[in-house]
Amino acid sequence: MFDTCDLEQNMLFLHHQELPKVPVPPLKQTLDMYLKCVQHLVKEEQFKKTKTIVEKFGAPGGSGEFLQKKLQERRDKTTNWVYDYWLEDMYLNNRLALPVNSSPVMVFPKQTFRDHKDALRYEIDRLVKVFYKINSDGTRELPVDFARGQLAGTPMCMEQYNRLFTSYRYPGLKTDTLKVHMNTASPEPEHIIVACKNQFFVLDVVTNKEQLKEAEIFSQLERILKMAENPGDKVPAFGLLTSDGRTEWAQARDVLTKDPTNRDSLALIESCLCLVCLDEPSGLDPSDTNRALLMLHGGGRDRNGANRWYDKSMQFVVGMDGVCGVVCEHSPFEGIVLVQCSEFLMKYIIGSPSKMATSASIKPLPPPRRLLWKCNPQLQGLLKASGDRIQRLVNNLDMDVFKFSVYGKEFIKKQKMSPDAYIQVALQLAFYKCNKRLVSTYESASIRRFQEGRVDNIRSATAEALAFVKSMTDEKTTLSDVEKMKRLREAISAQTNYTIAAITGMAIDNHLLGLLRISKDLNMEKPEIFCDETYLSSNQFILSTSQVPTTVEMFCCYGPVVPNGYGACYNPQSDHIIFCVSSFRESTETSSAVFAKALKEGLLEIRDLCNRSSAAVSKPAESGPGAAQPRKSGK
């Protein structure tokens, strides 16, 4: 369920009304594209069955035609016909725990802090200013985003920025609720929640309608560090409950809210602007991989896994050992919005260096308030169960973050190829090397060109990609480099064309979801197309990928979306590419190290193919038609 509290029209950007609505693609186009997407991924007998079902669904007078008409009517009546359907399907109905399974993280460069004062100054300079600038000055101060990459220059919907500090995801027994609080007339002082040593503190950042100065925030954070040290005041680590499965957390929350003290503490967390998590040193080597793991799950109950409140949309993490980043609850906004926000703020901060006031100018402030909790044996049992489950998640996650330094997007551009499409084809090659098959692949595609647009799916496991990876891996192949190069360009062209279809609202996943949900809304029997084995398997994304480029030194990562799958997030830079590959150790079908090795090999093989082809093209004409053939050494 999506609930917006006091969301007024004037909170939206002026250009928002100028953007078009998300289109409803023609039914035949989607069904034809669906068949093309799945034909090479399922057995021939299964495809024949699927083709018959799809043709029946799309026949004149059939259920598909009726549902298409109803979907078009929904488009006419709503700002964005797919938004609620997509939000519920992608996030709110998902019962898995938020850490690893849903919440992406941004990992910042490793910092070197001399002492806790350095860490607190970093928190204020680099992180607290984020909500000061965005929340207090208003998102209208942000420059409008324009599309980059394919169809560059189109203005993008900025509505997601309004949700960075106003969103909270409430757990439910069957489905969660996302609430966006936009009541700027609230008499309550604005506050953040500071997590320290698994305890939670309220820090008012606006008092008497005035924002606290940086030195005042610094003083309050120092007070919190001292308060957290007092062992006599400590209460159980209730943050663990938010790391659990959504149904388990909803059940625990019902128990928690029976006590008025707990209800009051929950209300303060649920209405805060953001969380600031002051983490204890983990004791781990601060490698890229370990920093990614510590952002994703905090290291579990024995480290900083309870020093979080995962329902809140923004959690800024500053470790006393210099491990820093942001943990995001993903349902209100996309990762690229967080990147844009972070980069805008970092440039703003660099341009406006902080000047910490002297202690003499600090006005007297009431101390921060520790959140109080009442515990009982039932809650103690629930906390232990939640702790056990996050520890299993910690032990299960297999992460490999690496920098591919041989080349980056500049080399790819010289081949006159899209860097994103090229990397997607390389990911298909890596998966084929490991499994001798391709699987349904998810690549996030922004549809922010439309009002309230979020994402659709680019299905990267194309027939053209399959033809190319086979040519690169079949030891019996006699294909020349010319033919391999032709297949590579066809695979990249197919990927690029699908990308353009997705970002212009013409992909298949949102459309099919809309048809399915309309049938459910009308209490119809579920159409056969959505019960078909092919449709069900095509929505199990064993390879879940996303390009999250940055212009400053940081990277994004997340976990797999299915138990036997991979998460693959990548950040292409001019001369290198950062990859974050994740999988689960409990699956016998996956290994992040094996996939990473195959990916590196594949990237080198594609580069070598491109170089040989370029060299062959540049040879003198007298070399003859055999110039494109691979040469044997010594000849």
Side-chain angles (χ1 to χ4, degrees), residues 16 20-24 71 74-87 157 159-160 163 447-455 510:
H16 175 78
K21 289 184 176 185
V22 177
V24 176
L71 204 56
R74 176 179 168 86
R75 179 182 185 269
D76 294 338
K77 297 173 184 175
T78 58
T79 302
N80 184 315
W81 64 264
V82 73
Y83 185 89
D84 288 345
Y85 289 165
W86 172 89
L87 183 66
C157 178
E159 192 267 344
Q160 290 181 40
R163 298 179 179 165
I447 53 171
R448 285 176 58 212
R449 289 166 172 80
F450 305 101
Q451 292 182 41
E452 295 185 10
R454 291 294 298 265
V455 296
N510 282 353

Short mmCIF file of all heavy atoms in Angstrom, two decimals, residues 16 20-24 71 74-87 157 159-160 163 447-455 510:
data_model
loop_
_atom_site.label_atom_id
_atom_site.label_comp_id
_atom_site.label_asym_id
_atom_site.label_seq_id
_atom_site.Cartn_x
_atom_site.Cartn_y
_atom_site.Cartn_z
N HIS A 16 7.31 18.72 -13.92
CA HIS A 16 6.64 17.43 -13.74
C HIS A 16 5.37 17.36 -14.57
O HIS A 16 5.09 16.35 -15.22
CB HIS A 16 6.33 17.22 -12.26
CG HIS A 16 5.53 15.98 -11.96
ND1 HIS A 16 6.12 14.74 -11.94
CD2 HIS A 16 4.21 15.79 -11.71
CE1 HIS A 16 5.18 13.84 -11.66
NE2 HIS A 16 4.04 14.45 -11.51
N PRO A 20 5.27 13.66 -20.20
CA PRO A 20 4.15 12.80 -20.62
C PRO A 20 3.89 11.69 -19.62
O PRO A 20 4.72 11.38 -18.76
CB PRO A 20 4.66 12.23 -21.95
CG PRO A 20 6.15 12.24 -21.83
CD PRO A 20 6.48 13.46 -21.00
N LYS A 21 2.72 11.09 -19.74
CA LYS A 21 2.40 9.90 -18.95
C LYS A 21 3.10 8.68 -19.54
O LYS A 21 3.39 8.62 -20.74
CB LYS A 21 0.89 9.65 -18.94
CG LYS A 21 0.08 10.65 -18.15
CD LYS A 21 -1.38 10.21 -18.15
CE LYS A 21 -2.26 11.12 -17.28
NZ LYS A 21 -3.64 10.62 -17.21
N VAL A 22 3.35 7.68 -18.68
CA VAL A 22 3.89 6.41 -19.16
C VAL A 22 2.91 5.81 -20.18
O VAL A 22 1.71 5.71 -19.89
CB VAL A 22 4.08 5.41 -18.00
CG1 VAL A 22 4.57 4.06 -18.53
CG2 VAL A 22 5.06 5.96 -16.97
N PRO A 23 3.36 5.44 -21.37
CA PRO A 23 2.45 4.87 -22.36
C PRO A 23 2.08 3.43 -22.04
O PRO A 23 2.75 2.76 -21.25
CB PRO A 23 3.26 4.94 -23.65
CG PRO A 23 4.69 4.84 -23.20
CD PRO A 23 4.74 5.55 -21.87
N VAL A 24 0.99 2.97 -22.63
CA VAL A 24 0.65 1.55 -22.63
C VAL A 24 1.03 1.02 -24.00
O VAL A 24 0.43 1.42 -25.00
CB VAL A 24 -0.85 1.32 -22.37
CG1 VAL A 24 -1.18 -0.17 -22.47
CG2 VAL A 24 -1.26 1.85 -21.00
N LEU A 71 -6.63 -1.39 -19.20
CA LEU A 71 -5.36 -0.77 -18.81
C LEU A 71 -5.26 0.65 -19.40
O LEU A 71 -4.78 1.58 -18.73
CB LEU A 71 -4.19 -1.64 -19.29
CG LEU A 71 -2.86 -1.49 -18.55
CD1 LEU A 71 -3.01 -1.73 -17.06
CD2 LEU A 71 -1.83 -2.45 -19.13
N ARG A 74 -7.27 2.90 -17.32
CA ARG A 74 -6.56 3.22 -16.08
C ARG A 74 -5.52 4.32 -16.35
O ARG A 74 -5.36 5.24 -15.54
CB ARG A 74 -5.87 1.96 -15.52
CG ARG A 74 -5.02 2.23 -14.29
CD ARG A 74 -4.39 0.92 -13.79
NE ARG A 74 -3.35 1.16 -12.79
CZ ARG A 74 -3.57 1.30 -11.50
NH1 ARG A 74 -4.78 1.22 -11.01
NH2 ARG A 74 -2.55 1.51 -10.67
N ARG A 75 -4.85 4.25 -17.49
CA ARG A 75 -3.87 5.28 -17.83
C ARG A 75 -4.53 6.65 -17.92
O ARG A 75 -3.97 7.65 -17.46
CB ARG A 75 -3.19 4.94 -19.15
CG ARG A 75 -2.15 5.98 -19.59
CD ARG A 75 -1.52 5.62 -20.93
NE ARG A 75 -0.47 6.57 -21.26
CZ ARG A 75 -0.62 7.69 -21.95
NH1 ARG A 75 -1.84 8.02 -22.40
NH2 ARG A 75 0.40 8.48 -22.22
N ASP A 76 -5.72 6.70 -18.49
CA ASP A 76 -6.41 7.98 -18.64
C ASP A 76 -6.77 8.60 -17.28
O ASP A 76 -6.81 9.82 -17.14
CB ASP A 76 -7.69 7.80 -19.48
CG ASP A 76 -7.38 7.41 -20.93
OD1 ASP A 76 -6.26 7.69 -21.38
OD2 ASP A 76 -8.27 6.83 -21.58
N LYS A 77 -7.01 7.74 -16.29
CA LYS A 77 -7.50 8.22 -14.99
C LYS A 77 -6.39 8.48 -13.98
O LYS A 77 -6.65 9.07 -12.93
CB LYS A 77 -8.48 7.19 -14.40
CG LYS A 77 -9.74 6.98 -15.22
CD LYS A 77 -10.56 5.82 -14.64
CE LYS A 77 -11.78 5.51 -15.49
NZ LYS A 77 -12.51 4.32 -14.98
N THR A 78 -5.19 8.01 -14.24
CA THR A 78 -4.11 8.10 -13.24
C THR A 78 -2.91 8.85 -13.81
O THR A 78 -2.74 8.97 -15.02
CB THR A 78 -3.64 6.69 -12.81
OG1 THR A 78 -3.20 5.97 -13.97
CG2 THR A 78 -4.75 5.92 -12.12
N THR A 79 -2.08 9.35 -12.89
CA THR A 79 -0.84 10.02 -13.31
C THR A 79 0.13 9.01 -13.89
O THR A 79 0.81 9.29 -14.89
CB THR A 79 -0.19 10.72 -12.09
OG1 THR A 79 -1.13 11.64 -11.54
CG2 THR A 79 1.07 11.46 -12.50
N ASN A 80 0.21 7.84 -13.27
CA ASN A 80 1.12 6.80 -13.73
C ASN A 80 0.45 5.46 -13.50
O ASN A 80 0.32 5.00 -12.36
CB ASN A 80 2.45 6.89 -12.96
CG ASN A 80 3.49 5.90 -13.44
OD1 ASN A 80 3.20 4.73 -13.65
ND2 ASN A 80 4.71 6.36 -13.59
N TRP A 81 0.01 4.82 -14.57
CA TRP A 81 -0.82 3.62 -14.45
C TRP A 81 -0.09 2.44 -13.82
O TRP A 81 -0.69 1.55 -13.21
CB TRP A 81 -1.37 3.20 -15.82
CG TRP A 81 -0.32 2.79 -16.82
CD1 TRP A 81 0.25 3.58 -17.79
CD2 TRP A 81 0.27 1.49 -16.99
NE1 TRP A 81 1.16 2.87 -18.52
CE2 TRP A 81 1.19 1.58 -18.06
CE3 TRP A 81 0.11 0.27 -16.34
CZ2 TRP A 81 1.96 0.49 -18.50
CZ3 TRP A 81 0.87 -0.82 -16.77
CH2 TRP A 81 1.78 -0.69 -17.84
N VAL A 82 1.24 2.39 -13.94
CA VAL A 82 1.97 1.22 -13.47
C VAL A 82 2.57 1.42 -12.07
O VAL A 82 2.96 0.45 -11.42
CB VAL A 82 3.10 0.84 -14.46
CG1 VAL A 82 4.27 1.83 -14.40
CG2 VAL A 82 3.60 -0.58 -14.22
N TYR A 83 2.59 2.65 -11.57
CA TYR A 83 3.38 2.94 -10.36
C TYR A 83 2.99 2.05 -9.18
O TYR A 83 3.84 1.37 -8.59
CB TYR A 83 3.26 4.41 -9.97
CG TYR A 83 4.15 4.77 -8.81
CD1 TYR A 83 5.45 5.19 -9.02
CD2 TYR A 83 3.70 4.64 -7.49
CE1 TYR A 83 6.29 5.49 -7.96
CE2 TYR A 83 4.54 4.94 -6.42
CZ TYR A 83 5.82 5.36 -6.66
OH TYR A 83 6.66 5.65 -5.61
N ASP A 84 1.74 2.04 -8.79
CA ASP A 84 1.32 1.26 -7.62
C ASP A 84 1.52 -0.24 -7.85
O ASP A 84 1.96 -0.96 -6.95
CB ASP A 84 -0.15 1.54 -7.28
CG ASP A 84 -0.35 2.92 -6.68
OD1 ASP A 84 0.65 3.54 -6.28
OD2 ASP A 84 -1.50 3.39 -6.64
N TYR A 85 1.17 -0.71 -9.05
CA TYR A 85 1.35 -2.13 -9.37
C TYR A 85 2.81 -2.53 -9.22
O TYR A 85 3.15 -3.54 -8.60
CB TYR A 85 0.91 -2.41 -10.81
CG TYR A 85 -0.57 -2.34 -11.06
CD1 TYR A 85 -1.06 -2.26 -12.37
CD2 TYR A 85 -1.50 -2.38 -10.03
CE1 TYR A 85 -2.43 -2.22 -12.63
CE2 TYR A 85 -2.86 -2.34 -10.28
CZ TYR A 85 -3.31 -2.25 -11.59
OH TYR A 85 -4.67 -2.21 -11.86
N TRP A 86 3.70 -1.71 -9.80
CA TRP A 86 5.13 -2.01 -9.79
C TRP A 86 5.69 -1.95 -8.37
O TRP A 86 6.45 -2.82 -7.96
CB TRP A 86 5.85 -1.00 -10.70
CG TRP A 86 7.33 -1.08 -10.63
CD1 TRP A 86 8.15 -1.86 -11.39
CD2 TRP A 86 8.19 -0.35 -9.74
NE1 TRP A 86 9.46 -1.67 -11.02
CE2 TRP A 86 9.51 -0.74 -10.01
CE3 TRP A 86 7.96 0.60 -8.75
CZ2 TRP A 86 10.60 -0.22 -9.32
CZ3 TRP A 86 9.04 1.12 -8.06
CH2 TRP A 86 10.34 0.71 -8.35
N LEU A 87 5.30 -0.93 -7.60
CA LEU A 87 5.82 -0.76 -6.25
C LEU A 87 5.46 -1.95 -5.37
O LEU A 87 6.29 -2.47 -4.61
CB LEU A 87 5.26 0.53 -5.64
CG LEU A 87 5.76 0.90 -4.24
CD1 LEU A 87 7.25 1.24 -4.28
CD2 LEU A 87 4.97 2.07 -3.68
N CYS A 157 11.82 13.19 -14.50
CA CYS A 157 10.94 13.48 -13.37
C CYS A 157 11.79 13.55 -12.09
O CYS A 157 12.58 12.64 -11.81
CB CYS A 157 9.88 12.40 -13.24
SG CYS A 157 8.77 12.63 -11.82
N GLU A 159 10.46 13.84 -8.98
CA GLU A 159 9.58 13.58 -7.83
C GLU A 159 10.23 12.67 -6.79
O GLU A 159 9.97 12.80 -5.59
CB GLU A 159 8.27 12.97 -8.34
CG GLU A 159 7.15 12.92 -7.32
CD GLU A 159 7.11 11.60 -6.57
OE1 GLU A 159 7.74 10.64 -7.05
OE2 GLU A 159 6.48 11.56 -5.52
N GLN A 160 11.10 11.74 -7.21
CA GLN A 160 11.72 10.83 -6.25
C GLN A 160 12.57 11.55 -5.21
O GLN A 160 12.71 11.10 -4.07
CB GLN A 160 12.60 9.80 -6.98
CG GLN A 160 11.81 8.78 -7.80
CD GLN A 160 12.72 7.78 -8.48
OE1 GLN A 160 13.70 7.33 -7.90
NE2 GLN A 160 12.41 7.46 -9.74
N ARG A 163 11.25 12.23 -1.76
CA ARG A 163 11.05 11.11 -0.84
C ARG A 163 12.31 10.72 -0.09
O ARG A 163 12.28 9.80 0.74
CB ARG A 163 10.52 9.90 -1.62
CG ARG A 163 9.17 10.20 -2.25
CD ARG A 163 8.66 9.02 -3.04
NE ARG A 163 7.35 9.34 -3.61
CZ ARG A 163 6.78 8.66 -4.57
NH1 ARG A 163 7.38 7.61 -5.07
NH2 ARG A 163 5.59 9.00 -5.04
N ILE A 447 12.59 4.98 -16.27
CA ILE A 447 11.53 5.58 -17.09
C ILE A 447 11.13 6.92 -16.47
O ILE A 447 9.96 7.31 -16.47
CB ILE A 447 10.32 4.64 -17.27
CG1 ILE A 447 9.79 4.13 -15.93
CG2 ILE A 447 10.68 3.48 -18.17
CD1 ILE A 447 8.45 3.38 -16.05
N ARG A 448 12.12 7.64 -15.96
CA ARG A 448 11.87 8.95 -15.37
C ARG A 448 11.59 10.03 -16.42
O ARG A 448 11.37 11.19 -16.08
CB ARG A 448 13.05 9.37 -14.49
CG ARG A 448 13.10 8.63 -13.16
CD ARG A 448 14.34 9.00 -12.38
NE ARG A 448 14.43 10.43 -12.14
CZ ARG A 448 15.57 11.10 -12.05
NH1 ARG A 448 16.72 10.48 -12.21
NH2 ARG A 448 15.55 12.39 -11.82
N ARG A 449 11.60 9.66 -17.69
CA ARG A 449 11.15 10.59 -18.73
C ARG A 449 9.65 10.85 -18.62
O ARG A 449 9.12 11.74 -19.28
CB ARG A 449 11.44 10.01 -20.12
CG ARG A 449 12.92 10.00 -20.48
CD ARG A 449 13.17 9.10 -21.68
NE ARG A 449 14.54 9.23 -22.15
CZ ARG A 449 15.59 8.62 -21.61
NH1 ARG A 449 15.41 7.86 -20.54
NH2 ARG A 449 16.81 8.80 -22.09
N PHE A 450 8.98 10.04 -17.81
CA PHE A 450 7.53 10.13 -17.67
C PHE A 450 7.17 10.57 -16.25
O PHE A 450 7.97 10.45 -15.33
CB PHE A 450 6.89 8.79 -18.00
CG PHE A 450 7.26 8.26 -19.36
CD1 PHE A 450 8.22 7.29 -19.51
CD2 PHE A 450 6.65 8.78 -20.50
CE1 PHE A 450 8.58 6.81 -20.77
CE2 PHE A 450 7.00 8.31 -21.76
CZ PHE A 450 7.97 7.32 -21.89
N GLN A 451 5.94 11.03 -16.09
CA GLN A 451 5.48 11.47 -14.78
C GLN A 451 5.54 10.33 -13.77
O GLN A 451 5.03 9.24 -14.02
CB GLN A 451 4.03 11.99 -14.87
CG GLN A 451 3.89 13.28 -15.66
CD GLN A 451 2.46 13.76 -15.68
OE1 GLN A 451 1.75 13.69 -14.67
NE2 GLN A 451 2.01 14.25 -16.83
N GLU A 452 6.18 10.60 -12.64
CA GLU A 452 6.34 9.61 -11.56
C GLU A 452 6.98 8.32 -12.04
O GLU A 452 6.73 7.23 -11.50
CB GLU A 452 5.01 9.33 -10.87
CG GLU A 452 4.44 10.54 -10.14
CD GLU A 452 3.18 10.21 -9.35
OE1 GLU A 452 2.86 9.02 -9.21
OE2 GLU A 452 2.54 11.15 -8.86
N GLY A 453 7.82 8.41 -13.07
CA GLY A 453 8.44 7.20 -13.62
C GLY A 453 9.47 6.60 -12.69
O GLY A 453 10.25 7.31 -12.05
N ARG A 454 9.50 5.29 -12.61
CA ARG A 454 10.51 4.57 -11.83
C ARG A 454 11.39 3.78 -12.80
O ARG A 454 12.28 4.36 -13.40
CB ARG A 454 9.84 3.67 -10.78
CG ARG A 454 9.13 4.43 -9.66
CD ARG A 454 10.07 5.22 -8.75
NE ARG A 454 11.02 4.37 -8.04
CZ ARG A 454 10.84 3.90 -6.82
NH1 ARG A 454 9.74 4.17 -6.14
NH2 ARG A 454 11.76 3.15 -6.23
N VAL A 455 11.13 2.47 -12.96
CA VAL A 455 11.97 1.68 -13.86
C VAL A 455 11.14 0.63 -14.59
O VAL A 455 10.03 0.29 -14.17
CB VAL A 455 13.12 0.95 -13.11
CG1 VAL A 455 14.09 1.93 -12.48
CG2 VAL A 455 12.58 -0.01 -12.08
N ASN A 510 6.64 -4.22 -17.37
CA ASN A 510 5.59 -3.41 -16.74
C ASN A 510 4.24 -3.65 -17.39
O ASN A 510 3.20 -3.70 -16.71
CB ASN A 510 5.95 -1.92 -16.83
CG ASN A 510 7.00 -1.51 -15.81
OD1 ASN A 510 7.38 -2.29 -14.95
ND2 ASN A 510 7.47 -0.28 -15.92
#
